[in-house]
Amino acid sequence: MSLALFVEQVLNGVQFGVTLFLMAAGLTLVFGVMGLINLAHGSLYMVGAFACAAVAAWSGSFWLGLAASIAAAAAAGAVVEWVVIRRLYDRDHLDQVLATFALILIFSEAMRWLFGPFPLYLDMPGLLSGSVTLPGGIEYPLYRLTIILVGIAVAAGLHLLIARTRIGMRIRAGASDREMVAALGVDIATLYTIIFALGAALAGFAGALVGVNQSVQVGMGEPVLILAFVVIVIGGIGSLKGALVGSLLVGVTDTMGRFLLPQIFSLVMDPSQATTVGAALASMLIYIVMALILAFRPRGLFAVTS
Amino acid sequence: MERERWINIALALLLLAAPLLALAAGEAFYVTLATRVAVLALAAVGLNLALGLGGLVSFGHAAFFGIGGYAAGILAAQEMTAMPPIWIVAALVAGIMAAFIGAVSLRTSGVYFIMITLAFAQMIYYFVISWPAYGGEDGLPLAVRNQFPFVNTLKPLPFFLICYVLLLAGLLLFAWLRDGRFGAALQAARQNETRLAALGVSPFPIRLTAFVLSAMITAVAGALYADLTRFVSPSMLSWHLSGELIVIIILGGTGRLFGPLAGAALFVLMEFLLGSLTERWQFFLGLVLLGTVLFAKGGLIGLIAGKARNG
């Protein structure tokens, strides 16, 4: 195994982690501030990917599609919050799970209705195709590198938004005491809609970015959603920092597990068996990591105390 | 509560009468539909023990359903085709898995518990998909339906009756547990954990026991489901199925004895009726579900029988 391959796999893991972060950030914000568990977050990811693919195919411009993905997901998020989600804030988690599960069925079927049963494909923008040479002579796809950089920028931007701006202050205040903030004259209902739409926009953005590397199809959001759940459980639900650390941990662990475990097993057993056992174990690896972390820190790495 | 008992008896008789009438009318297909109701209801009875009585919202019960299914499939592939031992193996394996999963998951509560049970179920799902020995992603067909002494299980009606009797046994077990000391402690753990602890009862072992029993019942249902469809696939382990089991309980009425049966009947009927009307039935199922959650909290039995005494 060459060093270049190893570094490439680590970068792939980081890129995967960064896309997970875009999903997990919205989930953890919505849970941290509104106390809501939203299974339909994966549907917003799917909406973003479809919007991007459709607009990019119609206009011929990936960038227009990317803008459309953010706009469509944010709009869908705002509408869903306004129509359904705001009735669920006072309900228990079971009702929230169920109502958002129903939303998944509705969204998935609606997308199949609108776009037909076949997957759509997104072309990589010309500007970002090709690869770059990293220090040490390692070739790495420019598109993936861009995703990593964009993800880091979004994480930094979110941190600034929450920690430094007026709306961030209101978001934090809303998380700690809803009644008091409302009593101080903040329009809490609108604030919640904004937060939900922000999370949705990030999910849609992630969907569009990933849609280039995979096909855009109904149900694409669900595996990512479940991984995002693992991420925020590991990181501590409600913590943005936890979401970032958890995303990178899950992304790198998963990618490296799939890459390294079959090779490790091939040292002690014959290659075909090693591939089988290694692949099976690799597919379970992040859940094992999660179980281990929770066995010692039941509320995640960066538990939010409230 | 009196009215609920009559509804329960009516439901049990209705499920028994439906396939008999269907056969008399020469419509054997509806027997299979009724069997599906019975099997899904049994799976939901299992979940109802954890979710309804214990307040443990497990979003990973498909794992146990699937373990039961694969127990039936794998044993059948090894020429072990008698149903009762298969059920025992299914229940034991699921029980052991549930003991591990529960021991970790029950350290947490609320949303964490929901997500962790979901994650563990996904872990088993991905394991099964990537392990090629028993079909992997393609699933595992059963050559013939497994056998039960003195009963011809290949005919729809005898197989329905097996499922029906097991469902009744599951319901009896549920009622017996609910009305005994164990059920009282379990419900107390849901309503007020601190008070239960102050009475000198530790909630954790109670919850773990409930979780394990719940998994075992659901696993038996999974084994029956494998025999019903004569096919075991990873989709039995998928999180959609976990969601559907919760849906069934909510549709029927959470924590109510016959809620799972009412819910399963409603679910299968909706699936069948909407499915015959439109290809987009999931869209409308979603709308119905959403309406139920937002506006009809007690489920079907709640609508007819009124509010539960201690919700």
Side-chain angles (χ1 to χ4, degrees), chain B residues 239-250:
Chain B
W239 72 293
H240 269 266
L241 200 118
S242 297
E244 282 168 11
L245 289 180
I246 299 182
V247 165
I248 285 173
I249 290 183
I250 305 292

Side-chain angles (χ1 to χ4, degrees), chain B residues 170-182:
Chain B
L171 287 168
L172 276 178
L173 178 68
F174 182 91
W176 180 70
L177 285 171
R178 181 190 61 180
D179 298 336
R181 286 157 49 93
F182 173 76

Side-chain angles (χ1 to χ4, degrees), chain B residues 78-109:
Chain B
Q78 314 284 345
E79 310 281 318
M80 168 70 241
T81 57
M83 278 186 189
I86 288 178
W87 299 336
I88 293 171
V89 171
L92 283 180
V93 175
I96 292 167
M97 285 305 291
F100 279 112
I101 294 177
V104 177
S105 314
L106 286 168
R107 289 169 52 83
T108 65
S109 60

Side-chain angles (χ1 to χ4, degrees), chain B residues 31-42:
Chain B
V31 183
T32 308
L33 215 57
T35 315
R36 201 174 137 75
V37 170
V39 172
L40 285 178
L42 181 62

